[in-house]
Amino acid sequence: MRRTVFNEDHEAFRETLRAFIETEVAPVYDEWFAAGQAPREFYYKLAELGIFGIRVPEEFDGAGIDSYKFEAVMYEETARAGVSFGGSGVHVLLGLPYIKMLATDEQKKRFLPKFVSGEEMWALAMTEPGTGSDLAGMKTTAKLSEDGTHYVLNGAKTFITGGVHADKVIVCARTSAPREDDRRFGISLFAVDTKSEGYSVGRKLDKLGLKVSDTAELAFVDVKVPVEDLLGEENKGFSYLGLNLASERWGIAFGAYAQAAAAVRFAKEYVQDRTVFGKTVASFQNTKFELAACQAEVDAAQAVVDRALEALDANELTPAEAASAKLFCTEVAHRVIDRCLQLHGGYGFMNEYPIARLYADNRVNRIYGGTSEVMKMIIAKDMGL
């Protein structure tokens, strides 16, 4: 479909990114897949390409471009090639908004130049074992020391994407007990140095999909966090988390759309090459109808995420609109990728084919960032139901 969200700068970036993927990622991606993570050194290459600094202000070594459109191009190009950039996505999509929104000028001077250079990779630690989406039920605590110089952090987190390679982690912890009328009160955010004594990375989790994205369990035992590394105000962390959910959910929606578009491309190429009963699979009417139906769904998802992207860049994307985009696009991707895998036949079940990896990678889209059921609750509430 004809699009208006991208300009010449975005398309030039697309060409650069596509060439980068072809030379730096595709030749070694199978090795990363087998290892279960991208090498730490790869993130320095992304930094050299300018990936980490696009939305960082120029005074902190960034490009100062206040737009998510370059990230959208990155979603499309990695999906198109059937690869990922490991756990680096959370560095920009999840880590950066909190630094820009909450960090003091002094903190930004400390954090952002190393963020841009890849010297310090960031992750976000919210989820805990046994709590899932109920962030208000978190048990991790951060107690202010008697001399008021630091907090003492104790607890555990799980499902932390980028947790293996992270140098800094934004940790959500309880600094005060919840109120009877407000379970969300008492949560604060901290920029925790992973080299701190008492900080440890547990298991690198073995996931169904997203194999190249390092995901880990984290543990904190009497970790000292300087008061200078508190992000924002104490006890207001839950409200801060809500402010960035729209951009996070847009990212999941756009990524799902990009995966669906890639699945159609993979299936189209496969059925044109594959021959059965003396004819290409593409020549059968069922194949044509299936791919046509998938393309129609992809076109609809593209329109949804493009509209959401424009709203996000204008700082007008509401929580309900982001939830709607995520719900629709992740469900579309689920249907499309499944149908495209079916057109591959038995080969679609083999990990050597990108459609198989895409099928596994896609499944989590309807879970993280808020499940589909949670998205429906948000939308229904916005409808007055």
Side-chain angles (χ1 to χ4, degrees), residues 77-332:
E77 289 305 306
T78 51
R80 177 185 180 277
V83 302
S84 83
F85 287 164
S88 65
V90 299
H91 180 67
V92 175
L93 187 64
L94 301 187
L96 183 58
Y98 289 101
I99 301 173
K100 291 176 67 176
M101 177 178 66
L102 301 176
T104 63
D105 289 341
E106 184 276 331
Q107 287 174 325
K108 289 176 181 177
K109 290 177 183 177
R110 281 195 289 131
F111 296 153
L112 287 175
K114 293 180 179 180
F115 180 100
V116 173
S117 69
E119 183 178 345
E120 288 184 348
M121 297 298 296
W122 288 65
L124 177 64
M126 294 190 293
T127 305
E128 297 185 0
T131 61
S133 298
D134 182 20
L135 296 179
M138 69 176 60
K139 304 299 183 183
T140 297
T141 60
K143 302 296 185 182
L144 187 64
S145 62
E146 291 185 2
D147 61 8
T149 61
H150 62 273
Y151 291 86
V152 180
L153 183 66
N154 283 283
K157 300 290 182 179
T158 192
F159 306 146
I160 309 306
T161 303
V164 174
H165 287 318
D167 302 288
K168 295 279 190 181
V169 178
I170 298 172
V171 178
C172 310
R174 281 212 163 273
T175 44
S176 297
R179 295 170 175 167
E180 287 188 9
D181 62 340
D182 186 4
R183 293 178 63 240
R184 301 173 177 182
F185 174 81
I187 294 172
S188 301
L189 306 184
F190 300 90
V192 180
D193 191 324
T194 63
K195 295 186 293 295
S196 301
E197 184 177 353
Y199 179 103
S200 62
V201 178
R203 293 185 302 149
K204 180 166 73 69
L205 301 174
D206 184 16
K207 308 183 298 296
L208 170 67
L210 300 178
K211 292 290 189 180
V212 177
S213 175
D214 58 297
T215 304
E217 296 174 330
L218 306 179
F220 321 106
V221 179
D222 294 334
V223 176
K224 293 182 179 179
V225 183
V227 292
E228 293 81 9
D229 289 342
L230 171 69
L231 288 173
E233 295 184 42
E234 193 178 85
N235 298 326
K236 293 187 176 180
F238 199 97
S239 62
Y240 297 146
L241 296 174
L243 293 175
N244 286 321
L245 283 175
S247 61
E248 178 184 352
R249 287 167 179 164
W250 165 82
I252 296 170
F254 203 99
Y257 143 72
Q259 289 176 325
V264 172
R265 175 174 175 266
F266 295 146
K268 179 182 174 183
E269 292 175 351
Y270 179 82
V271 298
Q272 288 176 324
D273 292 337
R274 177 69 171 167
T275 301
V276 293
F277 307 119
K279 301 168 61 177
T280 64
V281 176
S283 66
F284 291 92
Q285 186 182 62
N286 179 69
T287 303
K288 296 175 182 179
F289 281 9
E290 282 292 285
L291 283 177
C294 287
Q295 184 61 54
E297 290 217 73
V298 169
D299 287 346
Q302 182 187 94
V304 168
V305 294
D306 283 0
R307 184 183 68 176
L309 174 55
E310 295 286 20
L312 181 63
D313 271 7
N315 199 30
E316 296 174 353
L317 184 64
T318 68
E321 289 170 343
S324 179
K326 180 182 184 295
L327 176 65
F328 180 76
C329 293
T330 56
E331 294 292 342
V332 163

